[in-house]
């Protein structure tokens, strides 16, 4: 369990550093997706800490956000969500069924 968590955190940090520097690309999206998968694997060991659940949601958000931006021909927005476009993205994530359903109100959706 600890090895998977360490791997997830390392992959997440690497992707997040690239994203926050404004250099996100398809590889960054793939890294966020890999971190999401690692965080999801931790379900096999029982309930996950809320920080892990939130990190998984953030990874799924960033994966979708980066790929959507690239598909639309625009530069991905660095960092966490924060504008009206996020409502549309959250609706898409909810439609995908990722993140185990809505967890109360606004935020990273899911």
């Amino acid at each position: 369990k600890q090895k998977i968590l360490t791997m997830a955190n390392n992959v997440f940090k690497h992707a997040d550093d690239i994203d926050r520097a404004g250099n996100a690309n398809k590889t960054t999206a793939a890294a966020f997706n890999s971190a999401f998968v690692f965080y999801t694997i931790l379900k096999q060991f029982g309930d996950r800490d809320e920080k892990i659940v939130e990190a998984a949601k953030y990874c799924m958000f960033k994966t979708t956000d980066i790929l959507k931006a690239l598909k639309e021909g625009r530069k991905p927005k660095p960092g966490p969500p924060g504008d009206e476009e996020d409502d549309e993205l959250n609706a898409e994530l909810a439609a995908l069924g990722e993140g185990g359903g809505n967890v109360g109100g606004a935020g990273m959706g899911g």
Side-chain angles (χ1 to χ4, degrees):
K1 177 180 176 180
Q2 189 57 47
K3 285 184 180 185
I4 295 170
L5 180 59
T6 299
M7 176 68 82
N9 288 337
N10 288 343
V11 172
F12 174 84
K13 177 157 179 22
H14 177 72
D16 196 49
D17 288 347
I18 292 169
D19 175 56
R20 289 177 189 265
N23 299 320
N25 57 29
K26 198 172 187 177
T27 303
T28 312
F32 273 119
N33 189 62
S34 295
F36 171 79
V37 170
F38 288 129
Y39 287 132
T40 302
I41 288 170
L42 292 171
K43 286 182 183 179
Q44 301 301 315
F45 300 101
D47 288 341
R48 297 175 296 168
D49 183 79
E50 186 62 29
K51 288 181 181 179
I52 294 172
V53 173
E54 288 301 313
K57 288 180 189 178
Y58 183 78
C59 288
M60 182 50 65
F61 168 80
K62 290 306 297 184
T63 300
T64 306
D65 186 54
I66 292 168
L67 292 176
K68 183 177 177 185
L70 294 174
K71 184 177 179 182
E72 293 173 354
R74 60 181 172 83
K75 186 174 174 84
K77 182 179 170 207
D83 62 27
E84 64 280 350
E85 288 183 24
D86 297 331
D87 291 337
E88 180 183 333
L89 189 58
N90 286 335
E92 290 178 23
L93 289 173
L96 290 173
E98 298 297 341
N102 287 336
V103 183
M108 286 184 255

